[in-house]
Amino acid sequence: MRLRHLQIGLWVAAIAAMIIFAGTRWATRSEGVAENSPAFTPVFTLADEEGRIRTSAEFRGKFLLVFFGFTNCPDVCPTTLSDVAQVMDDLGADAEKVQPLFVSIDPERDRRLGLAAYTAAFHPAILGLAGTETETQAAADSFKIFYERENDAASPDGYSMAHSPGLFLIGPDGEWLRQFTYGTPPAEILSDLQTRF
Amino acid sequence: MKHLLLAATLSLTASAALACETVTLGDLSVEHGWSKVTIGAGRPGVFYVSISNVGATDDALVGISTPAAGMPMLHETVVKDGVASMPHAMSIPVPAGQSVQLSPGGYHGMLMGLTAALKEGDSFPVTLSFEKAGEVTVNVEVLSLRAEGPDCADAGQ
Ligand SMILES: [Cu+2]
């Protein structure tokens, strides 16, 4: 009898989860960064792994694959960066047309833990950027993405970061081209890029 | 050279077998325990595993422990409204007759306070605590950063 109730409960939960999931998908797609939203040109000014200031303007002429994340994130971030590494390998000679960027949304801690060793472990082409809090917020706003520090006793140092996990493609003129949502297979990213060269 | 090749083959076979071994505890079977290389010991490691429950009673994974980390914990990556976060999972349901995966982008063990950086080919034990079935220990194999899971011939997924 209890089992039966539990089964019904599970079904209700499963259906609710499906509705929530569908709703989330819809909400994500209908966010301001949809494909047909007016073109915009995200900008940033952030220090690189060696402390040199890098700006969006200096990357004109290249496609940018931009990911916002934090290095204390063992699940989402390594998956995306591994996918980016795979794409860079598979691009072959075209790899020089693409600059992958990892923008830290947890810059102080990432700087302390070492950004260069982190990005290099995935792919030597990935450039890590970690600015000040203000610069990071400005970059995120410009890319129209969200991040937030969440206090959580169950996380290292008592906090974790919530963030938009998408991978953003910026064109050679600096214009926003599209987002690859979290989990997009590297092969799909690769073929999208190849149509643009 | 021949010896080197042989050694490489042997270690590959040995490690593949490690992540692919199945441990059973009553109606539960636990397999494909794997982790990823960490960049230094200051960043948390991750733990993934498959659990299946062939019994008629629901169970739940309520905790993990390991000598590899001072503060291991269960987390769930949630992507909601286009934002990813990873709240603490108090318990991960393992319903009767079903299987559950701790896998990239979903439930995972978060290994905080690593005693040492995790290197490819390392292995370490993780003890899983279930609400009803009790405890069971599996061997976890450390795979490369790009790995998506152990390569098991029987990985029927
Ligand atoms: Cu986690």
Side-chain angles (χ1 to χ4, degrees):
Chain A
M1 188 55 198
R2 272 193 59 203
L3 200 68
R4 174 135 192 92
H5 275 132
L6 209 81
Q7 271 176 347
I8 294 168
L10 277 171
W11 272 108
V12 170
I15 292 163
M18 269 164 62
I19 293 168
I20 292 167
F21 179 70
T24 311
R25 293 280 296 236
W26 182 82
T28 310
R29 278 207 203 132
S30 57
E31 258 169 33
V33 290
E35 271 88 314
N36 48 5
S37 69
F40 69 102
T41 302
V43 293
F44 59 82
T45 301
L46 299 162
D48 68 13
E49 295 149 351
E50 267 112 56
R52 285 174 306 203
I53 300 298
R54 312 297 290 262
T55 67
S56 38
E58 72 183 85
F59 296 102
R60 294 291 186 267
K62 283 197 172 195
F63 288 90
L64 300 180
L65 279 174
V66 186
F67 180 71
F68 288 77
F70 64 113
T71 77
N72 243 354
C73 150
D75 190 43
V76 169
C77 307
T79 306
T80 304
L81 289 177
S82 297
D83 290 348
V84 168
Q86 191 63 53
V87 169
M88 293 310 288
D89 280 352
D90 295 344
L91 277 169
D94 285 331
E96 61 180 29
K97 297 172 185 160
V98 180
Q99 174 63 58
L101 298 176
F102 173 81
V103 179
S104 172
I105 49 157
D106 187 16
E108 199 186 311
R109 182 166 63 180
D110 282 346
R111 204 163 272 297
R112 178 163 49 81
L113 290 170
L115 199 55
Y118 183 80
T119 54
F122 291 93
H123 199 284
I126 302 173
L127 178 65
L129 300 173
T132 62
E133 294 290 342
T134 315
E135 289 164 347
T136 306
Q137 188 63 60
D141 289 347
S142 185
F143 276 82
K144 304 185 184 183
I145 70 118
F146 173 85
Y147 75 91
E148 181 180 59
R149 180 176 163 137
E150 292 181 331
N151 291 322
D152 177 7
S155 288
D157 308 321
Y159 73 95
S160 186
M161 304 300 297
H163 61 107
S164 307
L167 179 66
F168 310 113
L169 179 64
I170 306 302
D173 300 327
E175 77 283 11
W176 167 283
L177 295 178
R178 65 165 294 179
Q179 153 170 213
F180 299 102
T181 51
Y182 172 65
T184 303
E188 219 171 282
I189 300 171
L190 177 73
S191 61
D192 178 287
L193 284 170
Q194 284 168 335
T195 62
R196 298 175 187 270
F197 297 143
Chain B
M1 188 59 198
K2 217 175 166 186
H3 278 114
L4 241 159
L5 271 176
L6 189 68
T9 318
L10 277 176
S11 72
L12 270 178
T13 324
S15 64
L18 194 59
C20 298
E21 69 185 18
T22 303
V23 181
T24 57
L25 172 71
D27 290 329
L28 302 180
S29 65
V30 181
E31 60 183 350
H32 305 158
W34 65 287
S35 180
K36 276 187 192 181
V37 163
T38 64
I39 301 137
R43 298 187 176 93
V46 76
F47 164 64
Y48 299 121
V49 74
S50 302
I51 304 160
S52 60
N53 181 354
V54 296
T57 314
D58 295 336
D59 208 333
L61 177 63
V62 292
I64 50 171
S65 64
T66 173
M71 193 180 166
M73 205 164 265
L74 297 171
H75 278 191
E76 181 180 15
T77 293
V78 179
V79 183
K80 188 171 181 285
D81 296 335
V83 176
S85 59
M86 46 173 204
H88 176 201
M90 289 302 289
S91 82
I92 298 174
V94 188
Q98 292 186 33
S99 61
V100 61
Q101 321 290 331
L102 276 65
S103 61
Y107 289 118
H108 57 273
M110 180 101 161
L111 309 178
M112 295 176 279
L114 287 177
T115 45
L118 302 177
K119 298 199 173 57
E120 191 169 349
D122 286 356
S123 68
F124 57 89
V126 169
T127 301
L128 296 88
S129 304
F130 293 94
E131 196 176 63
K132 294 180 187 140
E135 294 190 342
V136 65
T137 300
V138 293
N139 282 312
V140 175
E141 187 191 341
V142 181
L143 304 180
S144 78
L145 275 174
R146 293 200 203 177
E148 287 169 4
D151 224 347
C152 302
D154 66 336
Q157 310 170 22

Short mmCIF file of all heavy atoms in Angstrom, two decimals, chain A residues 60-106:
data_model
loop_
_atom_site.label_atom_id
_atom_site.label_comp_id
_atom_site.label_asym_id
_atom_site.label_seq_id
_atom_site.Cartn_x
_atom_site.Cartn_y
_atom_site.Cartn_z
N ARG A 60 40.24 41.25 -32.60
CA ARG A 60 39.54 41.42 -33.87
C ARG A 60 40.28 40.65 -34.95
O ARG A 60 41.51 40.63 -34.98
CB ARG A 60 39.46 42.90 -34.26
CG ARG A 60 38.60 43.75 -33.33
CD ARG A 60 37.11 43.42 -33.44
NE ARG A 60 36.32 44.36 -32.65
CZ ARG A 60 35.95 44.15 -31.38
NH1 ARG A 60 36.29 43.04 -30.75
NH2 ARG A 60 35.25 45.07 -30.73
N GLY A 61 39.49 40.03 -35.84
CA GLY A 61 40.10 39.21 -36.89
C GLY A 61 40.04 37.73 -36.57
O GLY A 61 40.25 36.89 -37.43
N LYS A 62 39.75 37.43 -35.29
CA LYS A 62 39.64 36.02 -34.89
C LYS A 62 38.24 35.74 -34.36
O LYS A 62 37.56 36.63 -33.84
CB LYS A 62 40.64 35.72 -33.76
CG LYS A 62 42.05 35.56 -34.24
CD LYS A 62 42.89 34.86 -33.18
CE LYS A 62 44.26 34.51 -33.74
NZ LYS A 62 44.97 33.55 -32.91
N PHE A 63 37.85 34.50 -34.49
CA PHE A 63 36.64 34.05 -33.81
C PHE A 63 37.02 33.78 -32.35
O PHE A 63 38.09 33.26 -32.07
CB PHE A 63 36.11 32.76 -34.44
CG PHE A 63 35.48 32.97 -35.79
CD1 PHE A 63 36.25 32.88 -36.95
CD2 PHE A 63 34.13 33.26 -35.90
CE1 PHE A 63 35.67 33.08 -38.20
CE2 PHE A 63 33.54 33.46 -37.15
CZ PHE A 63 34.32 33.37 -38.30
N LEU A 64 36.13 34.15 -31.45
CA LEU A 64 36.37 33.88 -30.04
C LEU A 64 35.36 32.86 -29.53
O LEU A 64 34.16 32.97 -29.81
CB LEU A 64 36.24 35.15 -29.19
CG LEU A 64 37.17 36.32 -29.50
CD1 LEU A 64 36.88 37.48 -28.54
CD2 LEU A 64 38.63 35.90 -29.35
N LEU A 65 35.86 31.88 -28.79
CA LEU A 65 34.97 30.96 -28.06
C LEU A 65 35.14 31.33 -26.59
O LEU A 65 36.20 31.13 -26.02
CB LEU A 65 35.38 29.51 -28.28
CG LEU A 65 34.94 28.83 -29.57
CD1 LEU A 65 35.57 27.44 -29.68
CD2 LEU A 65 33.41 28.72 -29.64
N VAL A 66 34.10 31.92 -26.01
CA VAL A 66 34.24 32.47 -24.66
C VAL A 66 33.41 31.67 -23.66
O VAL A 66 32.22 31.45 -23.87
CB VAL A 66 33.80 33.95 -24.64
CG1 VAL A 66 34.08 34.57 -23.27
CG2 VAL A 66 34.49 34.75 -25.73
N PHE A 67 34.08 31.26 -22.60
CA PHE A 67 33.39 30.53 -21.53
C PHE A 67 33.65 31.23 -20.21
O PHE A 67 34.78 31.55 -19.88
CB PHE A 67 33.90 29.09 -21.47
CG PHE A 67 33.25 28.27 -20.39
CD1 PHE A 67 31.92 27.87 -20.52
CD2 PHE A 67 33.95 27.91 -19.24
CE1 PHE A 67 31.31 27.12 -19.51
CE2 PHE A 67 33.34 27.16 -18.24
CZ PHE A 67 32.02 26.77 -18.39
N PHE A 68 32.58 31.50 -19.48
CA PHE A 68 32.70 32.08 -18.14
C PHE A 68 32.61 30.93 -17.13
O PHE A 68 31.67 30.15 -17.17
CB PHE A 68 31.58 33.08 -17.86
CG PHE A 68 31.71 34.37 -18.62
CD1 PHE A 68 31.39 34.45 -19.97
CD2 PHE A 68 32.16 35.53 -17.98
CE1 PHE A 68 31.51 35.65 -20.67
CE2 PHE A 68 32.29 36.73 -18.68
CZ PHE A 68 31.96 36.79 -20.02
N GLY A 69 33.57 30.85 -16.22
CA GLY A 69 33.53 29.75 -15.25
C GLY A 69 34.46 30.02 -14.09
O GLY A 69 34.97 31.13 -13.92
N PHE A 70 34.68 29.00 -13.29
CA PHE A 70 35.61 29.13 -12.17
C PHE A 70 36.34 27.81 -12.00
O PHE A 70 35.79 26.75 -12.29
CB PHE A 70 34.89 29.58 -10.90
CG PHE A 70 33.86 28.62 -10.34
CD1 PHE A 70 34.06 28.00 -9.12
CD2 PHE A 70 32.69 28.36 -11.03
CE1 PHE A 70 33.11 27.13 -8.60
CE2 PHE A 70 31.74 27.49 -10.52
CZ PHE A 70 31.94 26.88 -9.30
N THR A 71 37.57 27.88 -11.56
CA THR A 71 38.40 26.68 -11.61
C THR A 71 38.10 25.69 -10.49
O THR A 71 38.58 24.57 -10.53
CB THR A 71 39.90 27.01 -11.62
OG1 THR A 71 40.32 27.35 -10.29
CG2 THR A 71 40.22 28.16 -12.56
N ASN A 72 37.30 26.10 -9.51
CA ASN A 72 36.95 25.19 -8.43
C ASN A 72 35.71 24.37 -8.75
O ASN A 72 35.10 23.79 -7.87
CB ASN A 72 36.68 25.99 -7.15
CG ASN A 72 37.67 25.64 -6.07
OD1 ASN A 72 38.48 24.74 -6.23
ND2 ASN A 72 37.61 26.33 -4.97
N CYS A 73 35.34 24.38 -9.99
CA CYS A 73 34.10 23.76 -10.45
C CYS A 73 34.49 22.44 -11.11
O CYS A 73 35.09 22.45 -12.16
CB CYS A 73 33.48 24.76 -11.42
SG CYS A 73 32.47 24.22 -12.76
N PRO A 74 34.27 21.30 -10.47
CA PRO A 74 34.82 20.06 -11.01
C PRO A 74 33.94 19.37 -12.04
O PRO A 74 34.36 18.41 -12.66
CB PRO A 74 34.94 19.18 -9.76
CG PRO A 74 33.82 19.63 -8.89
CD PRO A 74 33.57 21.09 -9.20
N ASP A 75 32.72 19.86 -12.22
CA ASP A 75 31.78 19.13 -13.06
C ASP A 75 31.51 19.84 -14.38
O ASP A 75 31.91 19.36 -15.44
CB ASP A 75 30.48 18.91 -12.27
CG ASP A 75 29.54 17.94 -12.96
OD1 ASP A 75 30.02 16.91 -13.45
OD2 ASP A 75 28.34 18.22 -13.02
N VAL A 76 30.84 20.98 -14.33
CA VAL A 76 30.44 21.70 -15.56
C VAL A 76 31.64 22.26 -16.32
O VAL A 76 31.78 22.08 -17.53
CB VAL A 76 29.46 22.85 -15.23
CG1 VAL A 76 29.25 23.74 -16.43
CG2 VAL A 76 28.13 22.28 -14.76
N CYS A 77 32.53 22.97 -15.60
CA CYS A 77 33.61 23.70 -16.28
C CYS A 77 34.58 22.77 -17.01
O CYS A 77 34.90 23.04 -18.17
CB CYS A 77 34.32 24.62 -15.30
SG CYS A 77 33.17 25.72 -14.42
N PRO A 78 35.05 21.69 -16.38
CA PRO A 78 35.97 20.82 -17.12
C PRO A 78 35.32 20.18 -18.34
O PRO A 78 35.99 19.95 -19.34
CB PRO A 78 36.35 19.73 -16.10
CG PRO A 78 36.05 20.31 -14.78
CD PRO A 78 34.89 21.26 -14.98
N THR A 79 34.04 19.93 -18.26
CA THR A 79 33.35 19.32 -19.41
C THR A 79 33.40 20.26 -20.60
O THR A 79 33.78 19.88 -21.71
CB THR A 79 31.89 19.00 -19.04
OG1 THR A 79 31.89 18.20 -17.86
CG2 THR A 79 31.19 18.25 -20.15
N THR A 80 33.04 21.52 -20.36
CA THR A 80 33.03 22.49 -21.45
C THR A 80 34.45 22.75 -21.97
O THR A 80 34.68 22.81 -23.17
CB THR A 80 32.36 23.79 -21.00
OG1 THR A 80 31.06 23.47 -20.53
CG2 THR A 80 32.26 24.80 -22.14
N LEU A 81 35.41 22.92 -21.05
CA LEU A 81 36.78 23.20 -21.49
C LEU A 81 37.38 22.00 -22.24
O LEU A 81 38.15 22.18 -23.19
CB LEU A 81 37.66 23.61 -20.31
CG LEU A 81 37.33 25.00 -19.75
CD1 LEU A 81 38.18 25.31 -18.52
CD2 LEU A 81 37.54 26.08 -20.80
N SER A 82 37.01 20.79 -21.85
CA SER A 82 37.46 19.62 -22.59
C SER A 82 36.88 19.60 -23.99
O SER A 82 37.55 19.23 -24.95
CB SER A 82 37.04 18.33 -21.87
OG SER A 82 37.64 18.25 -20.62
N ASP A 83 35.62 20.02 -24.08
CA ASP A 83 34.98 20.09 -25.40
C ASP A 83 35.68 21.13 -26.26
O ASP A 83 35.92 20.91 -27.45
CB ASP A 83 33.49 20.43 -25.26
CG ASP A 83 32.69 19.28 -24.66
OD1 ASP A 83 33.25 18.16 -24.56
OD2 ASP A 83 31.53 19.50 -24.28
N VAL A 84 36.01 22.26 -25.68
CA VAL A 84 36.71 23.31 -26.41
C VAL A 84 38.07 22.79 -26.88
O VAL A 84 38.48 23.01 -28.02
CB VAL A 84 36.89 24.58 -25.53
CG1 VAL A 84 37.85 25.56 -26.17
CG2 VAL A 84 35.54 25.24 -25.29
N ALA A 85 38.76 22.07 -26.01
CA ALA A 85 40.07 21.51 -26.35
C ALA A 85 39.93 20.55 -27.54
O ALA A 85 40.75 20.57 -28.47
CB ALA A 85 40.66 20.78 -25.14
N GLN A 86 38.88 19.76 -27.51
CA GLN A 86 38.63 18.82 -28.61
C GLN A 86 38.40 19.56 -29.93
O GLN A 86 38.94 19.21 -30.96
CB GLN A 86 37.40 17.95 -28.26
CG GLN A 86 37.20 16.78 -29.18
CD GLN A 86 38.37 15.81 -29.12
OE1 GLN A 86 38.74 15.37 -28.02
NE2 GLN A 86 38.98 15.50 -30.25
N VAL A 87 37.60 20.62 -29.84
CA VAL A 87 37.32 21.43 -31.03
C VAL A 87 38.63 22.01 -31.59
O VAL A 87 38.88 21.96 -32.79
CB VAL A 87 36.32 22.57 -30.70
CG1 VAL A 87 36.23 23.57 -31.83
CG2 VAL A 87 34.94 21.99 -30.39
N MET A 88 39.47 22.54 -30.70
CA MET A 88 40.73 23.15 -31.15
C MET A 88 41.61 22.11 -31.85
O MET A 88 42.23 22.40 -32.87
CB MET A 88 41.48 23.78 -29.98
CG MET A 88 40.79 24.99 -29.36
SD MET A 88 40.25 26.25 -30.55
CE MET A 88 41.84 26.96 -31.04
N ASP A 89 41.65 20.90 -31.29
CA ASP A 89 42.43 19.84 -31.92
C ASP A 89 41.86 19.49 -33.30
O ASP A 89 42.59 19.33 -34.27
CB ASP A 89 42.41 18.57 -31.06
CG ASP A 89 43.40 18.67 -29.91
OD1 ASP A 89 44.20 19.64 -29.89
OD2 ASP A 89 43.39 17.78 -29.04
N ASP A 90 40.54 19.39 -33.35
CA ASP A 90 39.90 18.94 -34.59
C ASP A 90 39.91 20.01 -35.68
O ASP A 90 39.71 19.71 -36.86
CB ASP A 90 38.46 18.50 -34.31
CG ASP A 90 38.41 17.26 -33.42
OD1 ASP A 90 39.46 16.60 -33.29
OD2 ASP A 90 37.34 16.97 -32.87
N LEU A 91 40.12 21.27 -35.30
CA LEU A 91 40.16 22.36 -36.29
C LEU A 91 41.39 22.26 -37.19
O LEU A 91 41.40 22.79 -38.30
CB LEU A 91 40.17 23.71 -35.59
CG LEU A 91 38.80 24.26 -35.16
CD1 LEU A 91 38.98 25.47 -34.25
CD2 LEU A 91 37.95 24.63 -36.37
N GLY A 92 42.41 21.59 -36.69
CA GLY A 92 43.64 21.46 -37.48
C GLY A 92 44.23 22.82 -37.79
O GLY A 92 44.41 23.64 -36.90
N ALA A 93 44.50 23.07 -39.08
CA ALA A 93 45.15 24.32 -39.49
C ALA A 93 44.26 25.53 -39.24
O ALA A 93 44.74 26.66 -39.11
CB ALA A 93 45.54 24.25 -40.96
N ASP A 94 42.95 25.31 -39.17
CA ASP A 94 42.03 26.43 -38.94
C ASP A 94 42.04 26.91 -37.48
O ASP A 94 41.41 27.91 -37.16
CB ASP A 94 40.60 26.03 -39.33
CG ASP A 94 40.41 25.98 -40.84
OD1 ASP A 94 41.10 26.74 -41.54
OD2 ASP A 94 39.57 25.18 -41.30
N ALA A 95 42.74 26.18 -36.63
CA ALA A 95 42.76 26.53 -35.20
C ALA A 95 43.27 27.94 -34.98
O ALA A 95 42.85 28.62 -34.03
CB ALA A 95 43.62 25.53 -34.42
N GLU A 96 44.13 28.41 -35.86
CA GLU A 96 44.67 29.77 -35.69
C GLU A 96 43.63 30.86 -35.88
O GLU A 96 43.86 32.01 -35.52
CB GLU A 96 45.86 29.99 -36.63
CG GLU A 96 45.47 29.86 -38.09
CD GLU A 96 46.66 30.08 -39.03
OE1 GLU A 96 47.80 29.78 -38.62
OE2 GLU A 96 46.43 30.55 -40.16
N LYS A 97 42.48 30.49 -36.45
CA LYS A 97 41.42 31.48 -36.65
C LYS A 97 40.53 31.61 -35.43
O LYS A 97 39.62 32.44 -35.41
CB LYS A 97 40.55 31.07 -37.85
CG LYS A 97 41.31 31.04 -39.16
CD LYS A 97 40.45 30.44 -40.26
CE LYS A 97 41.28 30.29 -41.55
NZ LYS A 97 40.67 29.32 -42.47
N VAL A 98 40.77 30.76 -34.44
CA VAL A 98 39.90 30.73 -33.27
C VAL A 98 40.71 30.91 -31.99
O VAL A 98 41.73 30.24 -31.78
CB VAL A 98 39.13 29.38 -33.20
CG1 VAL A 98 38.23 29.33 -31.98
CG2 VAL A 98 38.33 29.14 -34.47
N GLN A 99 40.25 31.82 -31.13
CA GLN A 99 40.89 32.01 -29.83
C GLN A 99 39.90 31.64 -28.73
O GLN A 99 38.90 32.33 -28.54
CB GLN A 99 41.32 33.48 -29.67
CG GLN A 99 41.86 33.81 -28.28
CD GLN A 99 43.12 33.05 -27.93
OE1 GLN A 99 44.11 33.12 -28.62
NE2 GLN A 99 43.07 32.25 -26.85
N PRO A 100 40.16 30.55 -28.00
CA PRO A 100 39.29 30.23 -26.88
C PRO A 100 39.69 31.02 -25.63
O PRO A 100 40.88 31.12 -25.31
CB PRO A 100 39.52 28.73 -26.65
CG PRO A 100 40.68 28.34 -27.49
CD PRO A 100 41.19 29.53 -28.23
N LEU A 101 38.69 31.58 -24.95
CA LEU A 101 38.94 32.36 -23.74
C LEU A 101 38.18 31.77 -22.57
O LEU A 101 37.00 31.44 -22.68
CB LEU A 101 38.48 33.81 -23.93
CG LEU A 101 39.14 34.66 -25.01
CD1 LEU A 101 38.45 36.03 -25.08
CD2 LEU A 101 40.63 34.83 -24.75
N PHE A 102 38.85 31.65 -21.43
CA PHE A 102 38.20 31.24 -20.20
C PHE A 102 38.19 32.47 -19.29
O PHE A 102 39.24 32.95 -18.87
CB PHE A 102 38.97 30.09 -19.54
CG PHE A 102 38.47 29.73 -18.16
CD1 PHE A 102 37.35 28.91 -18.02
CD2 PHE A 102 39.10 30.18 -17.02
CE1 PHE A 102 36.88 28.56 -16.75
CE2 PHE A 102 38.64 29.83 -15.75
CZ PHE A 102 37.53 29.02 -15.62
N VAL A 103 37.00 33.01 -19.03
CA VAL A 103 36.90 34.20 -18.17
C VAL A 103 36.49 33.77 -16.78
O VAL A 103 35.42 33.19 -16.58
CB VAL A 103 35.87 35.20 -18.73
CG1 VAL A 103 35.78 36.42 -17.82
CG2 VAL A 103 36.23 35.63 -20.15
N SER A 104 37.35 34.02 -15.81
CA SER A 104 37.04 33.62 -14.44
C SER A 104 35.99 34.53 -13.83
O SER A 104 36.10 35.75 -13.89
CB SER A 104 38.30 33.68 -13.57
OG SER A 104 37.94 33.47 -12.22
N ILE A 105 34.97 33.93 -13.23
CA ILE A 105 33.97 34.70 -12.51
C ILE A 105 34.26 34.65 -11.01
O ILE A 105 33.50 35.11 -10.19
CB ILE A 105 32.55 34.16 -12.77
CG1 ILE A 105 32.53 32.64 -12.56
CG2 ILE A 105 32.10 34.51 -14.19
CD1 ILE A 105 31.17 32.09 -12.26
N ASP A 106 35.41 34.04 -10.68
CA ASP A 106 35.86 33.90 -9.29
C ASP A 106 37.34 34.30 -9.28
O ASP A 106 38.21 33.51 -8.92
CB ASP A 106 35.66 32.43 -8.87
CG ASP A 106 35.94 32.17 -7.40
OD1 ASP A 106 35.99 33.14 -6.62
OD2 ASP A 106 36.12 30.99 -7.04
#
